[in-house]
Amino acid sequence: MTQTIAEEVLVKSRLRVKAHGEVFTPRHMVDQMLDLVRKDLEESPGFVDKTVLEPAAGDGNFLVVVLQRKLHAIERRFPRERWAEESLFALASIYAIELLEDNHADAQAAMLDVFLAFHTGHTIACDIDTDLAKAARFLIDANVVRGNTLTGLTPSGDEVVFSWWNRDPADHGGVIREPFTFNSLRADAPAPDLFAMFQEPVRYAPCRIDHVHEEVKAHDQ
């Protein structure tokens, strides 16, 4: 019998399964799981900013579906002139950690592809030189990081650092960036390094969400 539906790749190699427990979730299961939180992701007030954390991102199969659902909801619920801005806030709400280098790169690339395809499909300029594309790439790099969820550390031994991207109440479309460590979210977080405790935290000036890639530091630093 000729097979007409391409099978998803759920395992890259037995070695990776043995070493890392790597088995990918099929798309139909991703959809079923996200259907359980459809209201939060697509329908509730403030759905764009509802955060999602994928602690073992793999090649991004969960991440791209979350992003797709948010983008489609934005298309339905916001006027066209808000799509670019809201889509960046949607990206800013999606966080992930992935241990393996190739998966991490694939996950980031898949997220960017979905984002750009949405805008090009609606004839919204998002060439590589646009602020929209630069901001999207920056947010993905900042939110989808390579590290070990169990330790909260990067491959180089540094803390995994994320940022909250809070809307600026004084500026429609503005964002206030607040960095934090992943381990700070854990009830069983290890004691912080004494040197790190006395380090002045990085502070950023409020800016427009489509200029977040410029990383303007607060004036008093």
Side-chain angles (χ1 to χ4, degrees), residues 30-31 33-53 62-63 65-74 76-77 90 93-94:
V30 172
D31 283 325
M33 294 170 71
L34 293 179
D35 282 343
L36 298 175
V37 290
R38 180 189 300 275
K39 184 174 181 179
D40 283 336
L41 291 181
E42 305 172 54
E43 301 170 5
S44 66
F47 74 92
V48 174
D49 301 316
K50 293 293 178 68
T51 56
V52 174
L53 170 65
F62 267 96
L63 304 179
V65 180
V66 171
L67 179 57
Q68 287 170 338
R69 288 181 175 225
K70 287 200 173 199
L71 292 176
H72 292 324
I74 288 168
R76 294 193 303 269
R77 299 184 58 180
S93 74
I94 303 171

PDB file of all heavy atoms in Angstrom, residues 30-31 33-53 62-63 65-74 76-77 90 93-94:
ATOM      1  N   VAL A  30       0.334  17.535  20.329  1.00  0.00           N
ATOM      2  CA  VAL A  30       0.555  18.953  20.652  1.00  0.00           C
ATOM      3  C   VAL A  30      -0.770  19.709  20.581  1.00  0.00           C
ATOM      4  O   VAL A  30      -1.121  20.476  21.481  1.00  0.00           O
ATOM      5  CB  VAL A  30       1.581  19.576  19.684  1.00  0.00           C
ATOM      6  CG1 VAL A  30       1.669  21.088  19.896  1.00  0.00           C
ATOM      7  CG2 VAL A  30       2.956  18.937  19.869  1.00  0.00           C
ATOM      8  N   ASP A  31      -1.521  19.479  19.504  1.00  0.00           N
ATOM      9  CA  ASP A  31      -2.806  20.166  19.336  1.00  0.00           C
ATOM     10  C   ASP A  31      -3.787  19.788  20.445  1.00  0.00           C
ATOM     11  O   ASP A  31      -4.498  20.650  20.977  1.00  0.00           O
ATOM     12  CB  ASP A  31      -3.409  19.840  17.969  1.00  0.00           C
ATOM     13  CG  ASP A  31      -2.754  20.617  16.840  1.00  0.00           C
ATOM     14  OD1 ASP A  31      -2.373  21.785  17.068  1.00  0.00           O
ATOM     15  OD2 ASP A  31      -2.617  20.074  15.735  1.00  0.00           O
ATOM     16  N   MET A  33      -3.119  18.822  23.484  1.00  0.00           N
ATOM     17  CA  MET A  33      -2.699  19.418  24.746  1.00  0.00           C
ATOM     18  C   MET A  33      -2.991  20.922  24.774  1.00  0.00           C
ATOM     19  O   MET A  33      -3.473  21.458  25.779  1.00  0.00           O
ATOM     20  CB  MET A  33      -1.213  19.141  24.976  1.00  0.00           C
ATOM     21  CG  MET A  33      -0.903  17.656  25.173  1.00  0.00           C
ATOM     22  SD  MET A  33       0.864  17.283  25.169  1.00  0.00           S
ATOM     23  CE  MET A  33       1.361  17.982  26.734  1.00  0.00           C
ATOM     24  N   LEU A  34      -2.754  21.591  23.654  1.00  0.00           N
ATOM     25  CA  LEU A  34      -2.998  23.029  23.617  1.00  0.00           C
ATOM     26  C   LEU A  34      -4.481  23.359  23.551  1.00  0.00           C
ATOM     27  O   LEU A  34      -4.895  24.451  23.962  1.00  0.00           O
ATOM     28  CB  LEU A  34      -2.253  23.656  22.436  1.00  0.00           C
ATOM     29  CG  LEU A  34      -0.727  23.632  22.556  1.00  0.00           C
ATOM     30  CD1 LEU A  34      -0.080  24.267  21.325  1.00  0.00           C
ATOM     31  CD2 LEU A  34      -0.267  24.348  23.819  1.00  0.00           C
ATOM     32  N   ASP A  35      -5.274  22.419  23.067  1.00  0.00           N
ATOM     33  CA  ASP A  35      -6.728  22.624  23.106  1.00  0.00           C
ATOM     34  C   ASP A  35      -7.225  22.787  24.542  1.00  0.00           C
ATOM     35  O   ASP A  35      -8.227  23.461  24.786  1.00  0.00           O
ATOM     36  CB  ASP A  35      -7.459  21.452  22.444  1.00  0.00           C
ATOM     37  CG  ASP A  35      -7.418  21.515  20.924  1.00  0.00           C
ATOM     38  OD1 ASP A  35      -7.115  22.597  20.382  1.00  0.00           O
ATOM     39  OD2 ASP A  35      -7.686  20.479  20.284  1.00  0.00           O
ATOM     40  N   LEU A  36      -6.526  22.171  25.486  1.00  0.00           N
ATOM     41  CA  LEU A  36      -6.930  22.247  26.888  1.00  0.00           C
ATOM     42  C   LEU A  36      -6.747  23.651  27.459  1.00  0.00           C
ATOM     43  O   LEU A  36      -7.381  24.010  28.455  1.00  0.00           O
ATOM     44  CB  LEU A  36      -6.128  21.242  27.722  1.00  0.00           C
ATOM     45  CG  LEU A  36      -6.304  19.764  27.363  1.00  0.00           C
ATOM     46  CD1 LEU A  36      -5.364  18.903  28.195  1.00  0.00           C
ATOM     47  CD2 LEU A  36      -7.753  19.329  27.571  1.00  0.00           C
ATOM     48  N   VAL A  37      -5.875  24.435  26.842  1.00  0.00           N
ATOM     49  CA  VAL A  37      -5.643  25.801  27.324  1.00  0.00           C
ATOM     50  C   VAL A  37      -5.981  26.821  26.226  1.00  0.00           C
ATOM     51  O   VAL A  37      -5.439  27.920  26.200  1.00  0.00           O
ATOM     52  CB  VAL A  37      -4.186  25.985  27.800  1.00  0.00           C
ATOM     53  CG1 VAL A  37      -3.939  25.203  29.077  1.00  0.00           C
ATOM     54  CG2 VAL A  37      -3.190  25.579  26.729  1.00  0.00           C
ATOM     55  N   ARG A  38      -6.880  26.444  25.347  1.00  0.00           N
ATOM     56  CA  ARG A  38      -7.246  27.314  24.222  1.00  0.00           C
ATOM     57  C   ARG A  38      -7.717  28.679  24.706  1.00  0.00           C
ATOM     58  O   ARG A  38      -7.370  29.716  24.133  1.00  0.00           O
ATOM     59  CB  ARG A  38      -8.342  26.658  23.379  1.00  0.00           C
ATOM     60  CG  ARG A  38      -8.778  27.514  22.183  1.00  0.00           C
ATOM     61  CD  ARG A  38      -9.997  26.922  21.510  1.00  0.00           C
ATOM     62  NE  ARG A  38      -9.743  25.589  21.018  1.00  0.00           N
ATOM     63  CZ  ARG A  38      -9.196  25.329  19.834  1.00  0.00           C
ATOM     64  NH1 ARG A  38      -8.844  26.319  19.040  1.00  0.00           N
ATOM     65  NH2 ARG A  38      -9.008  24.082  19.450  1.00  0.00           N
ATOM     66  N   LYS A  39      -8.534  28.701  25.758  1.00  0.00           N
ATOM     67  CA  LYS A  39      -9.081  29.973  26.224  1.00  0.00           C
ATOM     68  C   LYS A  39      -7.967  30.924  26.629  1.00  0.00           C
ATOM     69  O   LYS A  39      -7.988  32.110  26.281  1.00  0.00           O
ATOM     70  CB  LYS A  39     -10.044  29.750  27.391  1.00  0.00           C
ATOM     71  CG  LYS A  39     -10.727  31.021  27.854  1.00  0.00           C
ATOM     72  CD  LYS A  39     -11.781  30.739  28.907  1.00  0.00           C
ATOM     73  CE  LYS A  39     -12.471  32.034  29.330  1.00  0.00           C
ATOM     74  NZ  LYS A  39     -13.533  31.797  30.344  1.00  0.00           N
ATOM     75  N   ASP A  40      -6.996  30.422  27.386  1.00  0.00           N
ATOM     76  CA  ASP A  40      -5.900  31.281  27.829  1.00  0.00           C
ATOM     77  C   ASP A  40      -5.058  31.784  26.657  1.00  0.00           C
ATOM     78  O   ASP A  40      -4.629  32.938  26.643  1.00  0.00           O
ATOM     79  CB  ASP A  40      -4.993  30.528  28.798  1.00  0.00           C
ATOM     80  CG  ASP A  40      -5.597  30.418  30.188  1.00  0.00           C
ATOM     81  OD1 ASP A  40      -6.439  31.268  30.527  1.00  0.00           O
ATOM     82  OD2 ASP A  40      -5.236  29.489  30.918  1.00  0.00           O
ATOM     83  N   LEU A  41      -4.797  30.920  25.689  1.00  0.00           N
ATOM     84  CA  LEU A  41      -3.898  31.256  24.596  1.00  0.00           C
ATOM     85  C   LEU A  41      -4.555  32.049  23.474  1.00  0.00           C
ATOM     86  O   LEU A  41      -3.869  32.774  22.746  1.00  0.00           O
ATOM     87  CB  LEU A  41      -3.285  29.987  23.987  1.00  0.00           C
ATOM     88  CG  LEU A  41      -2.295  29.201  24.833  1.00  0.00           C
ATOM     89  CD1 LEU A  41      -1.783  27.999  24.063  1.00  0.00           C
ATOM     90  CD2 LEU A  41      -1.133  30.095  25.258  1.00  0.00           C
ATOM     91  N   GLU A  42      -5.882  31.934  23.327  1.00  0.00           N
ATOM     92  CA  GLU A  42      -6.507  32.493  22.141  1.00  0.00           C
ATOM     93  C   GLU A  42      -7.745  33.343  22.392  1.00  0.00           C
ATOM     94  O   GLU A  42      -8.162  34.082  21.490  1.00  0.00           O
ATOM     95  CB  GLU A  42      -6.895  31.354  21.182  1.00  0.00           C
ATOM     96  CG  GLU A  42      -5.742  30.441  20.812  1.00  0.00           C
ATOM     97  CD  GLU A  42      -6.216  29.229  20.013  1.00  0.00           C
ATOM     98  OE1 GLU A  42      -6.894  29.426  18.995  1.00  0.00           O
ATOM     99  OE2 GLU A  42      -5.903  28.101  20.425  1.00  0.00           O
ATOM    100  N   GLU A  43      -8.340  33.250  23.568  1.00  0.00           N
ATOM    101  CA  GLU A  43      -9.647  33.867  23.749  1.00  0.00           C
ATOM    102  C   GLU A  43      -9.763  34.824  24.932  1.00  0.00           C
ATOM    103  O   GLU A  43     -10.532  35.781  24.875  1.00  0.00           O
ATOM    104  CB  GLU A  43     -10.713  32.765  23.896  1.00  0.00           C
ATOM    105  CG  GLU A  43     -10.790  31.819  22.703  1.00  0.00           C
ATOM    106  CD  GLU A  43     -11.669  30.606  22.980  1.00  0.00           C
ATOM    107  OE1 GLU A  43     -12.284  30.559  24.067  1.00  0.00           O
ATOM    108  OE2 GLU A  43     -11.724  29.708  22.118  1.00  0.00           O
ATOM    109  N   SER A  44      -9.048  34.598  25.989  1.00  0.00           N
ATOM    110  CA  SER A  44      -9.244  35.380  27.212  1.00  0.00           C
ATOM    111  C   SER A  44      -8.686  36.787  27.057  1.00  0.00           C
ATOM    112  O   SER A  44      -7.820  37.043  26.209  1.00  0.00           O
ATOM    113  CB  SER A  44      -8.559  34.688  28.384  1.00  0.00           C
ATOM    114  OG  SER A  44      -7.156  34.680  28.193  1.00  0.00           O
ATOM    115  N   PRO A  45      -9.171  37.728  27.884  1.00  0.00           N
ATOM    116  CA  PRO A  45      -8.572  39.070  27.884  1.00  0.00           C
ATOM    117  C   PRO A  45      -7.070  38.968  28.176  1.00  0.00           C
ATOM    118  O   PRO A  45      -6.651  38.232  29.063  1.00  0.00           O
ATOM    119  CB  PRO A  45      -9.316  39.788  29.014  1.00  0.00           C
ATOM    120  CG  PRO A  45     -10.611  39.047  29.141  1.00  0.00           C
ATOM    121  CD  PRO A  45     -10.295  37.616  28.830  1.00  0.00           C
ATOM    122  N   GLY A  46      -6.278  39.688  27.423  1.00  0.00           N
ATOM    123  CA  GLY A  46      -4.837  39.628  27.633  1.00  0.00           C
ATOM    124  C   GLY A  46      -4.184  38.363  27.130  1.00  0.00           C
ATOM    125  O   GLY A  46      -3.069  38.033  27.541  1.00  0.00           O
ATOM    126  N   PHE A  47      -4.859  37.647  26.221  1.00  0.00           N
ATOM    127  CA  PHE A  47      -4.320  36.364  25.746  1.00  0.00           C
ATOM    128  C   PHE A  47      -2.945  36.517  25.108  1.00  0.00           C
ATOM    129  O   PHE A  47      -2.105  35.616  25.199  1.00  0.00           O
ATOM    130  CB  PHE A  47      -5.290  35.702  24.752  1.00  0.00           C
ATOM    131  CG  PHE A  47      -5.329  36.333  23.392  1.00  0.00           C
ATOM    132  CD1 PHE A  47      -4.516  35.883  22.373  1.00  0.00           C
ATOM    133  CD2 PHE A  47      -6.196  37.393  23.130  1.00  0.00           C
ATOM    134  CE1 PHE A  47      -4.553  36.465  21.105  1.00  0.00           C
ATOM    135  CE2 PHE A  47      -6.243  37.983  21.880  1.00  0.00           C
ATOM    136  CZ  PHE A  47      -5.410  37.521  20.871  1.00  0.00           C
ATOM    137  N   VAL A  48      -2.692  37.646  24.471  1.00  0.00           N
ATOM    138  CA  VAL A  48      -1.405  37.838  23.794  1.00  0.00           C
ATOM    139  C   VAL A  48      -0.258  37.716  24.788  1.00  0.00           C
ATOM    140  O   VAL A  48       0.796  37.159  24.484  1.00  0.00           O
ATOM    141  CB  VAL A  48      -1.357  39.208  23.091  1.00  0.00           C
ATOM    142  CG1 VAL A  48       0.038  39.463  22.505  1.00  0.00           C
ATOM    143  CG2 VAL A  48      -2.399  39.291  21.990  1.00  0.00           C
ATOM    144  N   ASP A  49      -0.468  38.228  25.996  1.00  0.00           N
ATOM    145  CA  ASP A  49       0.611  38.293  26.980  1.00  0.00           C
ATOM    146  C   ASP A  49       0.658  37.095  27.922  1.00  0.00           C
ATOM    147  O   ASP A  49       1.534  37.035  28.788  1.00  0.00           O
ATOM    148  CB  ASP A  49       0.469  39.569  27.811  1.00  0.00           C
ATOM    149  CG  ASP A  49       0.501  40.821  26.954  1.00  0.00           C
ATOM    150  OD1 ASP A  49       1.357  40.897  26.060  1.00  0.00           O
ATOM    151  OD2 ASP A  49      -0.343  41.717  27.166  1.00  0.00           O
ATOM    152  N   LYS A  50      -0.253  36.148  27.775  1.00  0.00           N
ATOM    153  CA  LYS A  50      -0.206  34.952  28.623  1.00  0.00           C
ATOM    154  C   LYS A  50       1.070  34.167  28.308  1.00  0.00           C
ATOM    155  O   LYS A  50       1.311  33.783  27.162  1.00  0.00           O
ATOM    156  CB  LYS A  50      -1.440  34.074  28.394  1.00  0.00           C
ATOM    157  CG  LYS A  50      -2.742  34.703  28.862  1.00  0.00           C
ATOM    158  CD  LYS A  50      -2.788  34.859  30.372  1.00  0.00           C
ATOM    159  CE  LYS A  50      -4.071  35.545  30.838  1.00  0.00           C
ATOM    160  NZ  LYS A  50      -5.264  34.731  30.627  1.00  0.00           N
ATOM    161  N   THR A  51       1.888  33.950  29.335  1.00  0.00           N
ATOM    162  CA  THR A  51       3.197  33.357  29.098  1.00  0.00           C
ATOM    163  C   THR A  51       3.148  31.831  29.026  1.00  0.00           C
ATOM    164  O   THR A  51       2.327  31.184  29.681  1.00  0.00           O
ATOM    165  CB  THR A  51       4.190  33.770  30.199  1.00  0.00           C
ATOM    166  OG1 THR A  51       3.663  33.412  31.472  1.00  0.00           O
ATOM    167  CG2 THR A  51       4.449  35.262  30.152  1.00  0.00           C
ATOM    168  N   VAL A  52       4.064  31.295  28.233  1.00  0.00           N
ATOM    169  CA  VAL A  52       4.227  29.850  28.069  1.00  0.00           C
ATOM    170  C   VAL A  52       5.712  29.544  28.217  1.00  0.00           C
ATOM    171  O   VAL A  52       6.555  30.249  27.640  1.00  0.00           O
ATOM    172  CB  VAL A  52       3.745  29.397  26.678  1.00  0.00           C
ATOM    173  CG1 VAL A  52       4.048  27.913  26.464  1.00  0.00           C
ATOM    174  CG2 VAL A  52       2.265  29.669  26.497  1.00  0.00           C
ATOM    175  N   LEU A  53       6.041  28.515  28.993  1.00  0.00           N
ATOM    176  CA  LEU A  53       7.429  28.056  29.124  1.00  0.00           C
ATOM    177  C   LEU A  53       7.504  26.600  28.711  1.00  0.00           C
ATOM    178  O   LEU A  53       6.822  25.751  29.290  1.00  0.00           O
ATOM    179  CB  LEU A  53       7.929  28.220  30.553  1.00  0.00           C
ATOM    180  CG  LEU A  53       9.278  27.543  30.864  1.00  0.00           C
ATOM    181  CD1 LEU A  53      10.402  28.186  30.060  1.00  0.00           C
ATOM    182  CD2 LEU A  53       9.586  27.596  32.356  1.00  0.00           C
ATOM    183  N   PHE A  62       6.225  22.401  19.925  1.00  0.00           N
ATOM    184  CA  PHE A  62       5.229  23.071  20.763  1.00  0.00           C
ATOM    185  C   PHE A  62       5.245  24.581  20.521  1.00  0.00           C
ATOM    186  O   PHE A  62       4.207  25.226  20.418  1.00  0.00           O
ATOM    187  CB  PHE A  62       5.496  22.807  22.254  1.00  0.00           C
ATOM    188  CG  PHE A  62       4.739  21.632  22.802  1.00  0.00           C
ATOM    189  CD1 PHE A  62       5.328  20.387  22.885  1.00  0.00           C
ATOM    190  CD2 PHE A  62       3.440  21.784  23.240  1.00  0.00           C
ATOM    191  CE1 PHE A  62       4.641  19.295  23.402  1.00  0.00           C
ATOM    192  CE2 PHE A  62       2.733  20.703  23.766  1.00  0.00           C
ATOM    193  CZ  PHE A  62       3.340  19.455  23.841  1.00  0.00           C
ATOM    194  N   LEU A  63       6.432  25.128  20.442  1.00  0.00           N
ATOM    195  CA  LEU A  63       6.585  26.580  20.343  1.00  0.00           C
ATOM    196  C   LEU A  63       5.901  27.138  19.100  1.00  0.00           C
ATOM    197  O   LEU A  63       5.215  28.169  19.157  1.00  0.00           O
ATOM    198  CB  LEU A  63       8.068  26.957  20.322  1.00  0.00           C
ATOM    199  CG  LEU A  63       8.918  26.465  21.487  1.00  0.00           C
ATOM    200  CD1 LEU A  63      10.365  26.903  21.315  1.00  0.00           C
ATOM    201  CD2 LEU A  63       8.366  26.971  22.804  1.00  0.00           C
ATOM    202  N   VAL A  65       3.452  25.918  17.359  1.00  0.00           N
ATOM    203  CA  VAL A  65       1.995  25.815  17.394  1.00  0.00           C
ATOM    204  C   VAL A  65       1.415  26.871  18.333  1.00  0.00           C
ATOM    205  O   VAL A  65       0.385  27.494  18.026  1.00  0.00           O
ATOM    206  CB  VAL A  65       1.541  24.403  17.801  1.00  0.00           C
ATOM    207  CG1 VAL A  65       0.009  24.321  17.825  1.00  0.00           C
ATOM    208  CG2 VAL A  65       2.096  23.359  16.838  1.00  0.00           C
ATOM    209  N   VAL A  66       2.052  27.092  19.471  1.00  0.00           N
ATOM    210  CA  VAL A  66       1.608  28.164  20.366  1.00  0.00           C
ATOM    211  C   VAL A  66       1.637  29.496  19.632  1.00  0.00           C
ATOM    212  O   VAL A  66       0.678  30.281  19.674  1.00  0.00           O
ATOM    213  CB  VAL A  66       2.490  28.231  21.628  1.00  0.00           C
ATOM    214  CG1 VAL A  66       2.172  29.487  22.439  1.00  0.00           C
ATOM    215  CG2 VAL A  66       2.293  26.992  22.488  1.00  0.00           C
ATOM    216  N   LEU A  67       2.735  29.762  18.935  1.00  0.00           N
ATOM    217  CA  LEU A  67       2.856  31.020  18.198  1.00  0.00           C
ATOM    218  C   LEU A  67       1.804  31.115  17.099  1.00  0.00           C
ATOM    219  O   LEU A  67       1.163  32.165  16.925  1.00  0.00           O
ATOM    220  CB  LEU A  67       4.262  31.154  17.610  1.00  0.00           C
ATOM    221  CG  LEU A  67       4.522  32.420  16.803  1.00  0.00           C
ATOM    222  CD1 LEU A  67       4.266  33.680  17.627  1.00  0.00           C
ATOM    223  CD2 LEU A  67       5.943  32.418  16.243  1.00  0.00           C
ATOM    224  N   GLN A  68       1.611  30.051  16.345  1.00  0.00           N
ATOM    225  CA  GLN A  68       0.603  30.059  15.289  1.00  0.00           C
ATOM    226  C   GLN A  68      -0.784  30.361  15.836  1.00  0.00           C
ATOM    227  O   GLN A  68      -1.538  31.156  15.265  1.00  0.00           O
ATOM    228  CB  GLN A  68       0.600  28.714  14.556  1.00  0.00           C
ATOM    229  CG  GLN A  68       1.793  28.499  13.649  1.00  0.00           C
ATOM    230  CD  GLN A  68       1.889  27.069  13.135  1.00  0.00           C
ATOM    231  OE1 GLN A  68       1.340  26.132  13.740  1.00  0.00           O
ATOM    232  NE2 GLN A  68       2.583  26.881  12.033  1.00  0.00           N
ATOM    233  N   ARG A  69      -1.123  29.749  16.952  1.00  0.00           N
ATOM    234  CA  ARG A  69      -2.445  29.975  17.545  1.00  0.00           C
ATOM    235  C   ARG A  69      -2.603  31.421  18.005  1.00  0.00           C
ATOM    236  O   ARG A  69      -3.651  32.038  17.794  1.00  0.00           O
ATOM    237  CB  ARG A  69      -2.669  29.003  18.704  1.00  0.00           C
ATOM    238  CG  ARG A  69      -2.900  27.569  18.253  1.00  0.00           C
ATOM    239  CD  ARG A  69      -3.133  26.654  19.443  1.00  0.00           C
ATOM    240  NE  ARG A  69      -3.463  25.299  18.997  1.00  0.00           N
ATOM    241  CZ  ARG A  69      -4.442  24.555  19.496  1.00  0.00           C
ATOM    242  NH1 ARG A  69      -5.220  25.034  20.453  1.00  0.00           N
ATOM    243  NH2 ARG A  69      -4.670  23.336  19.051  1.00  0.00           N
ATOM    244  N   LYS A  70      -1.571  31.960  18.605  1.00  0.00           N
ATOM    245  CA  LYS A  70      -1.652  33.351  19.039  1.00  0.00           C
ATOM    246  C   LYS A  70      -1.755  34.290  17.838  1.00  0.00           C
ATOM    247  O   LYS A  70      -2.518  35.261  17.855  1.00  0.00           O
ATOM    248  CB  LYS A  70      -0.440  33.712  19.906  1.00  0.00           C
ATOM    249  CG  LYS A  70      -0.477  33.101  21.302  1.00  0.00           C
ATOM    250  CD  LYS A  70       0.431  33.855  22.263  1.00  0.00           C
ATOM    251  CE  LYS A  70       0.267  33.370  23.687  1.00  0.00           C
ATOM    252  NZ  LYS A  70       0.765  34.315  24.686  1.00  0.00           N
ATOM    253  N   LEU A  71      -0.991  34.024  16.800  1.00  0.00           N
ATOM    254  CA  LEU A  71      -1.033  34.888  15.617  1.00  0.00           C
ATOM    255  C   LEU A  71      -2.402  34.848  14.942  1.00  0.00           C
ATOM    256  O   LEU A  71      -2.932  35.888  14.514  1.00  0.00           O
ATOM    257  CB  LEU A  71       0.059  34.472  14.627  1.00  0.00           C
ATOM    258  CG  LEU A  71       1.507  34.725  15.065  1.00  0.00           C
ATOM    259  CD1 LEU A  71       2.475  34.169  14.036  1.00  0.00           C
ATOM    260  CD2 LEU A  71       1.762  36.204  15.300  1.00  0.00           C
ATOM    261  N   HIS A  72      -2.984  33.672  14.837  1.00  0.00           N
ATOM    262  CA  HIS A  72      -4.317  33.565  14.230  1.00  0.00           C
ATOM    263  C   HIS A  72      -5.358  34.295  15.085  1.00  0.00           C
ATOM    264  O   HIS A  72      -6.285  34.919  14.552  1.00  0.00           O
ATOM    265  CB  HIS A  72      -4.700  32.096  14.058  1.00  0.00           C
ATOM    266  CG  HIS A  72      -3.879  31.375  13.037  1.00  0.00           C
ATOM    267  ND1 HIS A  72      -3.426  31.976  11.885  1.00  0.00           N
ATOM    268  CD2 HIS A  72      -3.423  30.087  12.984  1.00  0.00           C
ATOM    269  CE1 HIS A  72      -2.727  31.102  11.173  1.00  0.00           C
ATOM    270  NE2 HIS A  72      -2.703  29.952  11.824  1.00  0.00           N
ATOM    271  N   ALA A  73      -5.212  34.219  16.401  1.00  0.00           N
ATOM    272  CA  ALA A  73      -6.142  34.927  17.281  1.00  0.00           C
ATOM    273  C   ALA A  73      -5.970  36.437  17.152  1.00  0.00           C
ATOM    274  O   ALA A  73      -6.949  37.193  17.176  1.00  0.00           O
ATOM    275  CB  ALA A  73      -5.931  34.485  18.725  1.00  0.00           C
ATOM    276  N   ILE A  74      -4.733  36.885  17.018  1.00  0.00           N
ATOM    277  CA  ILE A  74      -4.476  38.310  16.791  1.00  0.00           C
ATOM    278  C   ILE A  74      -5.140  38.763  15.496  1.00  0.00           C
ATOM    279  O   ILE A  74      -5.762  39.838  15.433  1.00  0.00           O
ATOM    280  CB  ILE A  74      -2.953  38.571  16.750  1.00  0.00           C
ATOM    281  CG1 ILE A  74      -2.366  38.450  18.160  1.00  0.00           C
ATOM    282  CG2 ILE A  74      -2.640  39.937  16.140  1.00  0.00           C
ATOM    283  CD1 ILE A  74      -0.858  38.413  18.197  1.00  0.00           C
ATOM    284  N   ARG A  76      -7.747  37.583  14.121  1.00  0.00           N
ATOM    285  CA  ARG A  76      -9.198  37.625  14.291  1.00  0.00           C
ATOM    286  C   ARG A  76      -9.658  38.795  15.154  1.00  0.00           C
ATOM    287  O   ARG A  76     -10.730  39.346  14.927  1.00  0.00           O
ATOM    288  CB  ARG A  76      -9.702  36.312  14.938  1.00  0.00           C
ATOM    289  CG  ARG A  76      -9.545  35.077  14.084  1.00  0.00           C
ATOM    290  CD  ARG A  76     -10.347  33.918  14.670  1.00  0.00           C
ATOM    291  NE  ARG A  76      -9.981  33.615  16.062  1.00  0.00           N
ATOM    292  CZ  ARG A  76      -9.051  32.746  16.414  1.00  0.00           C
ATOM    293  NH1 ARG A  76      -8.366  32.097  15.483  1.00  0.00           N
ATOM    294  NH2 ARG A  76      -8.796  32.511  17.695  1.00  0.00           N
ATOM    295  N   ARG A  77      -8.848  39.158  16.137  1.00  0.00           N
ATOM    296  CA  ARG A  77      -9.357  40.033  17.195  1.00  0.00           C
ATOM    297  C   ARG A  77      -8.795  41.452  17.188  1.00  0.00           C
ATOM    298  O   ARG A  77      -9.263  42.293  17.951  1.00  0.00           O
ATOM    299  CB  ARG A  77      -9.096  39.379  18.552  1.00  0.00           C
ATOM    300  CG  ARG A  77      -9.805  38.023  18.684  1.00  0.00           C
ATOM    301  CD  ARG A  77      -9.622  37.419  20.038  1.00  0.00           C
ATOM    302  NE  ARG A  77     -10.109  38.289  21.103  1.00  0.00           N
ATOM    303  CZ  ARG A  77     -10.048  37.973  22.393  1.00  0.00           C
ATOM    304  NH1 ARG A  77      -9.517  36.813  22.757  1.00  0.00           N
ATOM    305  NH2 ARG A  77     -10.507  38.796  23.305  1.00  0.00           N
ATOM    306  N   ALA A  90       3.332  38.748  21.341  1.00  0.00           N
ATOM    307  CA  ALA A  90       3.090  37.303  21.393  1.00  0.00           C
ATOM    308  C   ALA A  90       4.405  36.533  21.454  1.00  0.00           C
ATOM    309  O   ALA A  90       4.556  35.597  22.254  1.00  0.00           O
ATOM    310  CB  ALA A  90       2.271  36.865  20.177  1.00  0.00           C
ATOM    311  N   SER A  93       6.010  36.512  24.821  1.00  0.00           N
ATOM    312  CA  SER A  93       5.335  35.723  25.860  1.00  0.00           C
ATOM    313  C   SER A  93       5.735  34.255  25.855  1.00  0.00           C
ATOM    314  O   SER A  93       5.327  33.499  26.736  1.00  0.00           O
ATOM    315  CB  SER A  93       3.815  35.822  25.684  1.00  0.00           C
ATOM    316  OG  SER A  93       3.382  35.037  24.572  1.00  0.00           O
ATOM    317  N   ILE A  94       6.515  33.828  24.868  1.00  0.00           N
ATOM    318  CA  ILE A  94       6.834  32.408  24.695  1.00  0.00           C
ATOM    319  C   ILE A  94       8.299  32.166  25.066  1.00  0.00           C
ATOM    320  O   ILE A  94       9.208  32.703  24.429  1.00  0.00           O
ATOM    321  CB  ILE A  94       6.563  31.957  23.254  1.00  0.00           C
ATOM    322  CG1 ILE A  94       5.100  32.234  22.882  1.00  0.00           C
ATOM    323  CG2 ILE A  94       6.885  30.477  23.083  1.00  0.00           C
ATOM    324  CD1 ILE A  94       4.789  32.020  21.407  1.00  0.00           C
TER     325      ILE A  94
END
